[in-house]
Amino acid sequence: MARVTNHWWEHLEQWRATAFLVGGLIFVVDTALLVVHMYSGTEPAAFGQALVGTSWTAAFIGLVGFYPSLTDRSRRLAKAGLVFAAIGGITMAAMAVTMFGYATDILSGTPSNVALYFLPGVFVGVVLGFGLFGVVSLRTDLYSRNLGLLFLLLPLTFLFNLGSGIAGFNPLAKVLGVVVVLSLTMLAIGYLLRTGSAFASRGDVEASTDMSAG
């Protein structure tokens, strides 16, 4: 089966490590913001949600960069993952822009109410997008098992946060812990790609592609 190759996909492959590192670093900023809220006794505002949306958008861009290398391993699952990842990325980008609008007073109203409208797209993108790419990567001999498990850790963390929130357990300390896990996971994925450790074989030619990114 022919491998997906064109300049657009090649650029996504080259920058996927940087995309995950950027997403992780933005979550680090959000972590610091949450710590400030904890010590000051204030509630997170729209700016924090904007950072979350921006971080996930970067991660989805990085995730889509895996499609060319996985599509000839499991074409249907990879294609489904690509569609769900695109939905998640677009939704997160829209949420980030909207929340920045509230943070800068360009928009008026209650951000928390509007955020609920983004939840379906976010759920589909995070759970099914990252979930399917994680499954496909674990089924191949191209990427290391650690990478696939890190992909799966992101939706599991998201589901824990969502489920515990619905159950009424949503203290700021829990949210902080979730953000720390998401940050470390994205940074770990970016690190594995940048160092070439994401690949099952260090001799794989794509390792040098990722190491030269950014």
Side-chain angles (χ1 to χ4, degrees), residues 71-133:
T71 185
D72 59 343
R73 264 71 175 183
S74 185
R75 185 175 182 83
R76 291 184 179 179
L77 288 180
K79 184 170 290 187
L82 175 66
V83 173
F84 294 134
I87 293 173
I90 292 171
T91 303
M92 284 295 189
M95 186 181 82
V97 171
T98 302
M99 293 303 159
F100 272 122
Y102 283 113
T104 56
D105 293 327
I106 295 176
L107 299 176
S108 59
T110 306
S112 58
N113 292 337
V114 177
L116 293 176
Y117 292 105
F118 296 109
L119 184 57
V122 169
F123 183 93
V124 166
V126 174
V127 176
L128 298 181
F130 275 95
L132 285 176
F133 271 97

Side-chain angles (χ1 to χ4, degrees), residues 32-156:
L33 187 62
L34 287 172
V35 171
V36 171
H37 283 299
M38 285 186 65
Y39 279 97
S40 62
T42 57
E43 290 296 321
F47 182 67
Q49 289 298 312
L51 291 178
V52 170
T54 304
S55 179
W56 276 110
T57 300
F60 276 116
I61 292 173
L63 183 65
V64 170
F66 283 88
Y67 175 71
S69 59
L70 293 176
T71 185
D72 59 343
R73 264 71 175 183
S74 185
R75 185 175 182 83
R76 291 184 179 179
L77 288 180
K79 184 170 290 187
L82 175 66
V83 173
F84 294 134
I87 293 173
I90 292 171
T91 303
M92 284 295 189
M95 186 181 82
V97 171
T98 302
M99 293 303 159
F100 272 122
Y102 283 113
T104 56
D105 293 327
I106 295 176
L107 299 176
S108 59
T110 306
S112 58
N113 292 337
V114 177
L116 293 176
Y117 292 105
F118 296 109
L119 184 57
V122 169
F123 183 93
V124 166
V126 174
V127 176
L128 298 181
F130 275 95
L132 285 176
F133 271 97
V135 170
V136 174
S137 64
L138 287 173
R139 291 177 59 182
T140 72
D141 58 357
L142 177 59
Y143 294 107
S144 69
R145 185 173 182 81
N146 288 337
L147 182 70
L149 293 176
L150 287 171
F151 278 159
L152 295 179
L153 181 58
L154 290 173
L156 288 176

